[in-house]
Amino acid sequence: MILENLDRFKLSTTKAAVTSFAGLPMVLGMGRSLGLQEALDALPLKERERGYSPAESIFTLMGLIQAGGVALDDISLLQSDEGLRALWGTVPASNTLGEMLRRFRGTTVYQLGEVIGQAAVQVIRAKGLKRVTLDIDALMVESQKADALMNYEGQWGYCPVMVSCAELKMPVAGLFRPGNASPMANLAGLLERVIEVLNLEFPTLEILVRSDSAGYQAKVVRVCEEAKVHFTITARKDAAVLETMRLIPKKA
């Protein structure tokens, strides 16, 4: 601890509104600059004219997650923060957010995925990337909800799979799955959809795909080869794999 020159520090109080969540409005501003507000408001989630728009509710959920919230009731921390409200605006209540979430259907989730994909496309274009690395991986979201299922490791929850862009450190697409879903399920179809969008938007973009052993399957390899993208997939070193490795010419 530095103890020198402590007499030079002056402490005082202020009535100005301050916040420890000052970074959240920057995330909100970035979302708006990407056109997410218009895209989110187009989702079929609003039943009447009055009240919060879908974008306002979804942006609030985004801020709640970024702030470390784990339940809708945690929104009270943001609501009680005068400094944040001055920057962010009115914060919806937890029951309002819950009502909005209950309006989600399978088609709505799919449409939200399209919004995420288009946001990634805009960021890739803004950054002028010539090459992207797509990481595909499943993750476990633990939950005690009634419809949560147990995975092969004995954890209860959900097992979504994500495709992320390593250069941007952001998701490009995802698929929500039950907790007992196989880590290998749905990878090929999700990856194929992402590559198709990127090739359509950026015909000259170089794409590299990376996957752990869940991607070690014929469907994923076929998608990569047919799309002519570079790929690296982790494989278990069983006897067949080791024998195949020995047959590869040293010059290859």
Side-chain angles (χ1 to χ4, degrees):
M1 179 182 294
I2 300 175
L3 300 178
E4 298 179 2
N5 302 321
L6 289 181
D7 58 320
R8 296 185 181 181
F9 288 92
K10 304 298 181 182
L11 298 179
S12 62
T13 60
T14 176
K15 293 184 179 180
V18 295
T19 178
S20 60
F21 301 113
L24 292 185
M26 297 179 65
V27 180
L28 175 63
M30 181 184 70
R32 287 174 173 168
S33 68
L34 290 173
L36 292 183
Q37 183 162 348
E38 294 79 6
L40 292 174
D41 281 340
L43 296 177
L45 293 171
K46 194 170 176 60
E47 296 180 340
R48 50 187 181 272
E49 289 298 322
R50 62 184 180 86
Y52 295 96
S53 69
E56 289 174 318
S57 296
I58 293 174
F59 279 143
T60 300
L61 285 171
M62 174 192 70
L64 177 62
I65 294 171
Q66 292 293 324
V70 295
L72 290 181
D73 286 342
D74 292 338
I75 200 66
S76 60
L77 296 175
L78 304 185
Q79 287 180 312
S80 61
D81 193 311
E82 184 180 353
L84 176 65
R85 294 200 314 272
L87 297 170
W88 185 282
T90 307
V91 179
S94 59
N95 61 328
T96 302
L97 297 175
E99 289 176 4
M100 185 272 298
L101 289 173
R102 283 188 285 273
R103 297 190 193 107
F104 268 84
R105 299 293 181 266
T107 54
T108 320
V109 175
Y110 182 86
Q111 290 171 319
L112 183 60
E114 294 291 305
V115 173
I116 295 173
Q118 288 305 310
V121 165
Q122 292 187 58
V123 178
I124 291 173
R125 183 175 290 113
K127 296 284 288 185
L129 297 182
K130 304 299 182 184
R131 169 177 170 160
V132 295
T133 305
L134 301 179
D135 290 316
I136 185 165
D137 197 11
L139 59 149
M140 189 66 185
V141 180
E142 294 191 52
S143 175
Q144 300 300 319
K145 291 181 68 65
D147 61 349
L149 298 176
M150 186 174 65
N151 69 357
Y152 62 94
E153 293 182 339
Q155 297 173 307
W156 291 83
Y158 307 94
C159 184
V161 59
M162 297 291 298
V163 176
S164 303
C165 176
E167 288 78 8
L168 300 178
K169 295 181 174 61
M170 69 176 289
V172 179
L175 184 65
F176 197 74
R177 307 183 304 178
N180 63 347
S182 166
M184 303 179 75
N186 311 112
L187 268 63
L190 182 62
L191 182 61
E192 184 176 28
R193 182 155 59 97
V194 171
I195 294 174
E196 286 178 353
V197 171
L198 293 179
N199 283 336
L200 180 64
E201 297 285 346
F202 311 101
T204 61
L205 183 68
E206 184 180 1
I207 299 174
L208 170 66
V209 174
R210 297 189 301 198
S211 175
D212 60 11
S213 57
Y216 185 51
Q217 51 178 290
K219 291 180 180 179
V220 173
V221 173
R222 188 178 301 115
V223 167
C224 293
E225 290 185 337
E226 291 179 354
K228 295 181 172 57
V229 301
H230 304 290
F231 64 96
T232 171
I233 299 174
T234 300
R236 296 185 182 278
K237 291 183 178 180
D238 56 28
V241 170
L242 289 173
E243 181 60 28
T244 303
M245 291 170 62
R246 294 190 195 98
L247 295 176
I248 298 175
K250 292 184 179 181
K251 295 183 179 180

